[in-house]
Structure formats: structure tokens, C-alpha cells
Amino acid sequence: MIKVRKFGKKLIFGLAIGISFMMLNSSIMTVYASSVLDEITSEETTEDYAEDTSYSILRGNHLNFGTVKVQRMSSNEIAIYGLTQCHHVCDEVYLYLYLERKVNGSYGTYKSWKFESNNATSLSRGLNVIVPSGTYYRVRGYHAAKDGSKESTSTLTSGILIN
């Protein structure tokens, strides 16, 4: 009977330690998961897709609008797209795309591309980019048209979480 009691106490003690360890491990996982989600601000969205379109401040003679899009394709790949649309054939059309990554609470340029075209009414590009997961990404665009004078506008999507 004494051996059974000692074994029972050891069993209960072992179970208590095991349950405590599981609870501690679970709370660590919960804190980690919520810390990524707690970072969401007005600059981000919970969607897998974001876009922004901007028209010339005053109805321009050359530049009609610019648009950018970002979409999560997988846990480490995003698709980005940009378009500069003119009212007519312009001497020069510009589309600059900046992929921004959120690190330590702030966005900074992660990669950038500059596209230019001559004698065109529009310029668009789509890119798939492999990125590290676990943070937010957004796309900033610069759109311009030149036909004598130069008109420009900029765009900025919300950040989307890649994880």
C-alpha cells in the first residue's frame, strides 16, 4: 500500500508538471501569434489583396490615372501590378514601383523597379516576387506622363500580411 501511494503521488506530480509545461508552451505560442496580429494598424488590411488608384489632382491634359495592386500568392510569394494611364499618346510614360516591407514597426523600400516607355498611351507591369514571410508588404507607385509638360501622381496600397 505504501508503494502504491508513492507511485500515485509521483504520477500526480508528473501530470501536474506536464500540464504546467503544456500551458506555458501554449501561452508562449499565443503571445507569438497575437504579437504579429497586434502590429496591424490603419496602414494594413487583413485581406490578401490591396489596391490604390489616384487620378491627377486637377484633370490633367496628359496623365489620366495611376493604379497599383498587391496580392498574396503563397506563404512566401506576392504579385504586384502597376499601371500608368494617359489621356492620349504621350512622348514619355513613367511607372515606378516600390515594394515596401514593414520592419520594427516602419515601412522601408525592399525592392524597386523603374519602367519607362516612349510614344505610348499607357504602361503596365505585373511581377511575382519571392519574399520572406512573417511581416507586412505594400506597394508604392509613381506615375507620370510627359508631352511637353510633365504630370504625375503617386499611389500607395495598404499592407498585407505574408505568413
Side-chain angles (χ1 to χ4, degrees), residues 45-163:
T45 180
T46 57
E47 303 295 323
D48 290 342
Y49 172 87
E51 69 179 305
D52 184 38
T53 299
S54 177
Y55 292 85
S56 285
I57 296 174
L58 300 171
R59 186 184 182 290
N61 295 319
H62 313 306
L63 180 63
N64 186 7
F65 67 89
T67 190
V68 289
K69 300 176 185 180
V70 60
Q71 181 174 0
R72 184 171 79 86
M73 302 305 288
S74 70
S75 63
N76 69 336
E77 182 180 13
I78 59 175
I80 64 174
Y81 172 80
L83 167 67
T84 300
Q85 182 66 51
C86 305
H87 288 293
H88 59 85
V89 174
C90 292
D91 293 339
E92 297 174 37
V93 181
Y94 303 86
L95 170 63
Y96 296 173
L97 298 173
Y98 302 91
L99 177 60
E100 297 183 345
R101 179 179 183 207
K102 188 175 186 179
V103 177
N104 296 326
S106 326
Y107 282 95
T109 301
Y110 179 68
K111 291 187 178 190
S112 64
W113 301 266
K114 294 185 177 187
F115 305 103
E116 298 176 5
S117 184
N118 295 321
N119 300 316
T121 56
S122 66
L123 176 57
S124 66
R125 288 293 187 277
L127 304 162
N128 283 21
V129 184
I130 303 298
V131 295
S133 61
T135 191
Y136 290 90
Y137 292 88
R138 68 184 184 185
V139 176
R140 180 180 302 275
Y142 169 77
H143 314 270
K146 184 176 179 184
D147 198 49
S149 62
K150 188 175 188 181
E151 299 171 355
S152 66
T153 190
S154 60
T155 50
L156 178 63
T157 69
S158 297
I160 61 169
L161 179 62
I162 305 300
N163 63 355

Side-chain angles (χ1 to χ4, degrees), residues 20-35:
S20 297
F21 180 74
M22 286 175 33
M23 291 172 60
L24 176 62
N25 198 16
S26 171
S27 66
I28 290 170
M29 286 183 196
T30 302
V31 168
Y32 173 75
S34 66
S35 66

